[in-house]
Amino acid sequence: MTRQRLAILGATGSIGSSTLDVVARHPDRFELTTLSAHSQVDALVALCRRFRPARAVVSDPAAYAALRDGLADAGLDTEAHAGPEALEAAAEAADTDTVVAAIVGAAGMSSTLAAARAGKRILLANKESVVLAGDLLMREIRAHGARVLPVDSEHNAIFQCLPGDPAQRGGVRRVLLTASGGPFRGFTRAQLAGVTPEQACAHPNWSMGRKISVDSATLMNKGLEVIEAHWLFGLDRARIDVVVHPQSIVHSLVDYVDGSMLAQLGQPDMRTALAYGLAWPERIDSGVGTLDLAALGRLDFEAPDHATFPCLGLAYAALAAGGTAPAVLNAANEVAVSAFLQGRAGFLDIPALLQATLDALETHPADSLDATLAADAEARRVAGALLPRLAGQARPDTTYGTP
């Protein structure tokens, strides 16, 4: 068996760790060519000791010397590299077949685009790449013969439930993305006014990083997934719905015009989607246990509360506006979530800052990477300037965008 050669960009995060867990179960199937981190040198060197990749990359150039010395002290032949250009080079490398795009946030966009231009098989966990530059990314994928396998649990579920041939998808009425509702499902806006970062990061079902945990708590994560689904599956916003499913067992559904609805079910464990992406079109052991439906007893579904969690509606509005609006939304969200995690803003300030930033900036065509990056940078500047004036001013009875 020819081993699949993998680059895992974002190896020290939760997605990277889950990917490596699956890879370790199948040493005969996979060979690691690149592991990357932002600046967690000790963790990256420890992974290199175990998996012996050809190269290790830190995106923070200031961490290069520590990485180089750490690899040398460990007696490893792994090459040390640093900086965004090194990430792009790793994504394009001839010794790599598959790139796991697991860098969080806008920082992962350029390396994902590089993998697309190199015609790689891309296991896409970096939803921001699609939100910021969906049109550009999909054009590059088509132009260079790359293949995207989504490994977000929701998009992976839709991928599994859709016909493999896009020409056969005329019978699809809509897709339904499931949302757990996060730790604050059932809260009122008044209750949300005083929640803490620690509460927001305590997801009831999934083990995730702090930024994505806050996005789940605000439902912004689901909003970004709506935008992502639009580009990945070629669906307009009217055919992408969200349903709250607190057990996180049904990962998403596809509704067909004949009345059929197909769903993918599984434990709330990212290794299932990652194993599917790694081995597709085959299936391999992921280390995830089977479902005991009798023990579960029930599966619940409810409509999302747009009034209490307006970030979802703001994402629909940004998708409708098109152009650079999704990039502005994403950038403002990263600023807002960072401020919330640092204690510089409240939970309700997050949608307030998103709305204010969208209102402050005109929408332009997102027809190039430069245009997208310019919109991202301007949105961060504007959101940063607005934050001191907005922080603590959001009222529990304030309403924002509508879906």
Side-chain angles (χ1 to χ4, degrees), residues 390-403:
L390 288 175
Q393 300 302 309
R395 302 190 314 275
D397 59 350
T398 303
T399 57
Y400 300 102
T402 56

Side-chain angles (χ1 to χ4, degrees), residues 18 44 64 68 209 237 274 331 351 353 358:
S18 293
L44 185 57
Y64 171 73
R68 178 199 61 204
R237 64 191 288 269
L274 288 161
L353 184 62
L358 285 166

Side-chain angles (χ1 to χ4, degrees), residues 243-262:
V243 62
V244 174
H245 167 53
Q247 291 90 355
S248 296
I249 296 299
V250 177
H251 296 303
S252 278
L253 312 95
V254 177
D255 181 23
Y256 288 87
V257 295
D258 63 1
S260 299
M261 186 174 284
L262 301 185

Side-chain angles (χ1 to χ4, degrees), residues 75-155:
L76 298 174
D77 293 330
T78 300
E79 297 176 358
H81 300 272
E85 297 82 5
L87 282 174
E88 293 178 29
E92 298 168 341
D95 65 356
T96 298
D97 308 309
T98 298
V99 175
V100 181
I103 297 173
V104 175
M109 184 169 64
S110 60
S111 55
T112 303
L113 281 168
R117 288 170 179 148
K120 304 298 184 182
R121 173 173 165 143
I122 304 169
L123 270 59
L124 186 64
N126 174 257
K127 62 174 58 66
E128 290 84 0
S129 294
V130 188
V131 171
L132 268 70
D135 187 23
L136 177 61
L137 177 61
M138 299 312 291
R139 279 192 277 120
E140 296 289 2
I141 286 166
R142 290 189 294 269
H144 298 282
R147 173 174 286 280
V148 169
L149 296 167
V151 293
D152 268 347
S153 62
E154 296 81 3
H155 299 98

Side-chain angles (χ1 to χ4, degrees), residues 58-320:
V58 281
S59 56
D60 180 3
Y64 171 73
L67 176 62
R68 178 199 61 204
D69 296 345
L71 293 171
D73 291 345
L76 298 174
D77 293 330
T78 300
E79 297 176 358
H81 300 272
E85 297 82 5
L87 282 174
E88 293 178 29
E92 298 168 341
D95 65 356
T96 298
D97 308 309
T98 298
V99 175
V100 181
I103 297 173
V104 175
M109 184 169 64
S110 60
S111 55
T112 303
L113 281 168
R117 288 170 179 148
K120 304 298 184 182
R121 173 173 165 143
I122 304 169
L123 270 59
L124 186 64
N126 174 257
K127 62 174 58 66
E128 290 84 0
S129 294
V130 188
V131 171
L132 268 70
D135 187 23
L136 177 61
L137 177 61
M138 299 312 291
R139 279 192 277 120
E140 296 289 2
I141 286 166
R142 290 189 294 269
H144 298 282
R147 173 174 286 280
V148 169
L149 296 167
V151 293
D152 268 347
S153 62
E154 296 81 3
H155 299 98
N156 184 267
I158 292 169
F159 184 84
Q160 293 193 45
C161 293
L162 282 173
D165 183 355
Q168 298 176 354
R169 295 179 183 175
V172 174
R173 192 199 319 266
R174 60 179 177 149
V175 299
L176 291 93
L177 299 166
T178 54
S180 70
F184 305 136
R185 184 176 67 90
F187 277 42
T188 65
R189 284 185 62 79
Q191 289 174 306
L192 291 175
V195 300
T196 66
E198 289 68 28
Q199 291 173 305
C201 291
H203 196 281
N205 301 329
W206 297 92
S207 175
M208 305 182 294
R210 285 169 66 79
K211 193 268 181 184
I212 193 172
S213 293
V214 175
D215 283 348
S216 178
T218 64
L219 292 193
M220 175 49 71
N221 192 47
K222 210 54 47 181
L224 297 177
E225 288 173 8
V226 167
I227 299 171
E228 188 178 5
H230 163 72
W231 291 113
L232 289 177
F233 305 117
L235 299 169
D236 61 50
R237 64 191 288 269
R239 298 171 67 196
I240 307 169
D241 287 342
V242 172
V243 62
V244 174
H245 167 53
Q247 291 90 355
S248 296
I249 296 299
V250 177
H251 296 303
S252 278
L253 312 95
V254 177
D255 181 23
Y256 288 87
V257 295
D258 63 1
S260 299
M261 186 174 284
L262 301 185
Q264 187 264 334
L265 285 71
Q267 300 281 10
D269 191 315
M270 285 302 302
R271 291 177 297 172
T272 298
L274 288 161
Y276 184 83
L278 286 166
W280 182 87
E282 301 177 58
R283 291 183 185 266
I284 58 174
D285 174 36
S286 66
V288 178
T290 190
L291 282 176
D292 185 341
L293 294 175
L296 281 171
R298 60 184 286 173
L299 299 173
D300 299 299
F301 302 91
E302 61 192 54
D305 182 350
H306 287 280
T308 304
F309 299 95
C311 286
L312 180 56
L314 291 172
Y316 272 104
L319 178 57

